[in-house]
Amino acid sequence: MKRIHFTSILAVVLLLSFSLHAQENLSFGQNKEIISPEIHTDNSVTFRLMAPTANDVSVTGDFLAPGEEAKMTKDADGVWSYTTHPLPSELYTYVFNVDGLQMNDPNNVYYRRDVASTLNVLLVGGGQADLYKVNSVPHGTITKRWYQSPGNNMARRITIYTPPRYEENNSSYPVLYLLHGMGGDEEAWMTLGRASQIADNLIAEGKTKPMIIVMPNGNVAQEAAPGESSLGFYKPEFRLPHTMDGKYEETFGEIIRFVDSQYRTIPEKEGRAIAGLSMGGFHTLHISRYYPDTFDYMGLFSAAIMPNETVKSKVYENIDKTLAAQNSNGYALYWIAIGKEDFLYQANIDFRKKLDEMDFPYIYRESEGGHTWRNWRIYLSEFLPMLFNKK
């Protein structure tokens, strides 16, 4: 008679239990498979939600006009649905509204955090958004590093992209410092901006030189993104202490020194670029003139321009004088991009007027739309090919 070991029986029981539990999770709350979102061949999208007892369900997202909601209709099985018109190729975010309560799509496991909100995402290909896909091309490496910041009296986390095959050679690479906006952190350009996918795809197409991309946390009051620091899990805030008060610009040299010491960089002006969106554009403007002979390429994406009048910092003294010094030292590219509907549009017009009066050369890119990630992803995809091509 064969002996059956207790440990073998226990393993089988645990395996069956896990399998049943997993299957319960897959079908929880619904009697049939629901596909949502479903992207059709004409690039229209159908959203679906099982909510048989709900009275009013709608979907809202950046495929609609700002503030607009699309009413969904309920079928006999209690499934609400809405189908869009064919959509342009883009990475979209959306949420449902069920009887006044905002909720994510339970059938879509793909979502992104933006400050304190989580939004589902979907990607419609066949155009611009093909750059945002993970395609069958050589891929760079993403690392989350910690560096010591004596100026902020803490260790801080930073995201760094190294290009394909960086680990396989001894070459030195130029560096782009890519800065996020207010409410963002060192994860924003990766999750919302698709920076690594854009870089991988443009490098594979031969349109962009291989480069290191450094994405710091622009909130000097933070060690790292929410949930990634010693503070644990807390609700993220939009505006933090020391926001745009000069402290980040003062201590930015620590980041450059860390990167140059840890990576095979080209540690000269010709090998450095800096760009950012909104608050990151503000930081780009002021870091590049505060260190006027450090960067050869600057990109201001929907940038905030001038500091608040109540802010007192040596960083914001003699702005015109330091801009003049930056101009005198020379640079390869100063690129300004903004949407026509952006709330910072007039501030950028005023800044360009200042530059014109100073004979400060720049390239201006005006787009449709406003203060959105849709624009910033496009700006990045246009900015990268212009970098490090100085003859």
Side-chain angles (χ1 to χ4, degrees), residues 6 33 67-68 89 171 193 217 252 282 284 286 288 293 306 324 327 330 332-333 347-348 352 370 388:
F6 174 76
E33 182 183 10
E68 183 181 351
S89 176
S171 300
N217 188 317
F252 197 81
F282 173 92
T284 294
H286 295 291
S288 66
D293 206 20
M306 292 301 171
N327 191 12
L333 175 67
N348 277 252
R352 288 170 51 220
F388 311 119

Side-chain angles (χ1 to χ4, degrees), residues 6-251:
F6 174 76
T7 53
S8 298
I9 295 174
L10 180 61
V12 172
V13 171
L14 287 173
L15 180 61
L16 288 172
S17 174
F18 176 80
S19 177
L20 288 171
H21 181 68
Q23 290 183 43
E24 283 179 10
N25 285 342
L26 287 173
S27 60
F28 180 76
Q30 54 193 43
N31 297 318
K32 66 176 185 177
E33 182 183 10
I34 294 176
I35 299 174
S36 179
E38 181 179 4
I39 303 173
H40 304 289
T41 55
D42 67 348
N43 281 358
S44 63
V45 179
T46 297
F47 301 95
R48 298 183 179 93
L49 177 70
M50 170 70 80
T53 62
N55 296 311
D56 184 71
V57 180
S58 60
V59 61
T60 185
D62 51 11
F63 57 90
L64 298 168
E68 183 181 351
E69 293 188 7
K71 296 292 184 181
M72 302 175 73
T73 56
K74 183 167 65 170
D75 67 14
D77 295 325
V79 177
W80 296 76
S81 65
Y82 170 77
T83 300
T84 71
H85 56 77
L87 298 176
S89 176
E90 187 51 77
L91 181 72
Y92 295 98
T93 59
Y94 71 97
V95 292
F96 291 135
N97 190 309
V98 182
D99 291 337
L101 177 66
Q102 182 174 297
M103 64 174 288
N104 292 120
D105 186 344
N107 292 286
N108 184 357
V109 299
Y110 304 105
Y111 63 92
R112 298 289 182 264
R113 178 182 63 82
D114 192 0
V115 192
S117 299
T118 56
L119 304 170
N120 284 112
V121 296
L122 68 108
L123 192 150
V124 177
Q128 175 68 26
D130 287 344
L131 279 178
Y132 312 153
K133 291 181 178 179
V134 177
N135 292 311
S136 296
V137 299
H139 302 297
T141 300
I142 307 301
T143 56
K144 309 285 186 178
R145 298 287 305 271
W146 289 82
Y147 72 98
Q148 289 298 321
S149 173
N152 293 296
N153 195 31
M154 67 175 78
R156 307 190 70 233
R157 198 172 78 144
I158 193 168
T159 301
I160 299 178
Y161 165 93
T162 49
R165 302 185 181 89
Y166 174 87
E167 295 86 356
E168 301 168 16
N169 62 63
N170 294 314
S171 300
S172 295
Y173 292 86
V175 182
L176 165 63
Y177 292 86
L178 186 59
L179 314 181
H180 62 79
M182 190 181 297
D185 48 62
E186 76 275 13
E187 297 183 342
W189 267 111
M190 286 297 304
T191 58
L192 294 162
R194 307 293 283 183
S196 64
Q197 289 86 357
I198 293 171
D200 281 350
N201 291 324
L202 288 176
I203 290 171
E205 293 173 12
K207 295 179 179 178
T208 292
K209 288 187 176 298
M211 68 185 74
I212 297 168
I213 303 178
V214 176
M215 293 159 274
N217 188 317
N219 307 299
V220 294
Q222 286 183 322
E223 297 172 0
E228 301 293 339
S229 74
S230 61
L231 297 179
F233 300 149
Y234 62 92
K235 185 174 182 177
E237 297 179 38
F238 185 69
R239 189 182 182 98
L240 295 164
H242 299 296
T243 295
M244 298 166 72
D245 73 348
K247 187 68 171 176
Y248 186 54
E249 292 93 329
E250 283 184 41
T251 58

Side-chain angles (χ1 to χ4, degrees), residues 259-326:
V259 172
D260 284 344
S261 69
Q262 297 292 309
Y263 293 85
R264 299 191 308 275
T265 67
I266 299 172
E268 301 165 356
K269 184 173 76 168
E270 302 80 54
R272 294 195 193 102
I274 185 168
L277 68 93
S278 193
M279 179 182 78
F282 173 92
H283 286 144
T284 294
L285 188 166
H286 295 291
I287 289 169
S288 66
R289 62 163 188 80
Y290 190 65
Y291 304 98
D293 206 20
T294 303
F295 303 94
D296 223 6
Y297 303 83
M298 282 67 65
L300 279 60
F301 307 166
S302 308
I305 301 298
M306 292 301 171
N308 189 297
E309 293 179 356
T310 63
V311 172
K312 303 299 180 186
S313 168
K314 62 181 180 181
V315 171
Y316 308 130
E317 296 173 358
N318 302 315
I319 290 177
D320 288 0
K321 183 178 179 180
T322 52
L323 280 172
Q326 185 178 11

Side-chain angles (χ1 to χ4, degrees), residues 356-371:
D356 289 341
E357 292 171 349
M358 299 176 67
D359 292 323
F360 192 115
Y362 62 88
I363 294 175
Y364 179 59
R365 161 71 156 99
E366 188 170 283
S367 67
E368 300 299 325
H371 210 71

